[in-house]
Amino acid sequence: MSNNVKLASIKESDKSGTVAEKVSVQYSEDVQQNRLYLQALCESLVFCGRQSIALRGHDESTDSKNEGNFLELMKLRSKDSNLTKQFYVETDGFSIHIGDFPE
C-alpha cells in the first residue's frame, strides 16, 4: 500500500470516525430505540391495568380474529407510531408467548 493511500485512509477516518466510534454510536442509538419501545409497552400495560382490561384473550393464535386485548392494542399503536410499527411489524408481532413453548 502506498503512502498516499495510507494518508488518504487516515484523513477519511478522521472525518467519519473510527470503527469503534461508529459501533458505539450505533449501540447508543439501538439502546435509545429499545428504551422508547419498552416505554410504549409499559404505557400500554398501565393503560390496560387502569381500565381493568384483561391482557390475554381466549385465543391468541395468529389466525384468530381477536388475539387478545394487549396484542390488539399494540397493533393499534403500531398504526400511529413508527417505532412501535418497526418492532411489532418487522418482528412479525409478538410471535412467542409463554404458552407456545414446548413442554
Side-chain angles (χ1 to χ4, degrees), residues 5-47:
V5 173
K6 290 179 184 178
L7 183 59
S9 297
I10 291 171
K11 286 181 180 179
E12 184 63 31
S13 70
D14 286 342
K15 289 180 189 174
S16 62
T18 65
V19 173
E21 289 170 345
K22 289 181 181 179
V23 169
S24 178
V25 167
Q26 182 62 44
Y27 176 77
S28 297
E29 290 172 1
D30 289 345
V31 167
Q32 183 63 26
Q33 293 266 328
N34 290 339
R35 286 180 180 160
L36 291 172
Y37 182 63
L38 183 60
Q39 181 180 0
L41 288 175
C42 291
E43 288 170 354
S44 298
L45 286 170
V46 169
F47 173 79

Side-chain angles (χ1 to χ4, degrees), residues 16-95:
S16 62
T18 65
V19 173
E21 289 170 345
K22 289 181 181 179
V23 169
S24 178
V25 167
Q26 182 62 44
Y27 176 77
S28 297
E29 290 172 1
D30 289 345
V31 167
Q32 183 63 26
Q33 293 266 328
N34 290 339
R35 286 180 180 160
L36 291 172
Y37 182 63
L38 183 60
Q39 181 180 0
L41 288 175
C42 291
E43 288 170 354
S44 298
L45 286 170
V46 169
F47 173 79
C48 289
R50 286 188 177 154
Q51 299 298 321
S52 299
I53 299 172
L55 297 178
R56 285 192 58 148
H58 176 68
D59 180 13
E60 291 187 348
S61 63
T62 54
D63 58 342
S64 174
K65 291 183 180 178
N66 182 356
E67 294 183 23
N69 297 323
F70 181 72
L71 295 178
E72 294 295 332
L73 177 60
M74 292 310 296
K75 279 184 188 177
L76 179 65
R77 291 194 72 180
S78 70
K79 291 179 181 179
D80 297 328
S81 168
N82 288 333
L83 178 67
T84 307
K85 181 185 288 184
Q86 173 190 348
F87 279 90
Y88 187 80
V89 174
E90 288 180 6
T91 59
D92 193 24
F94 300 101
S95 58

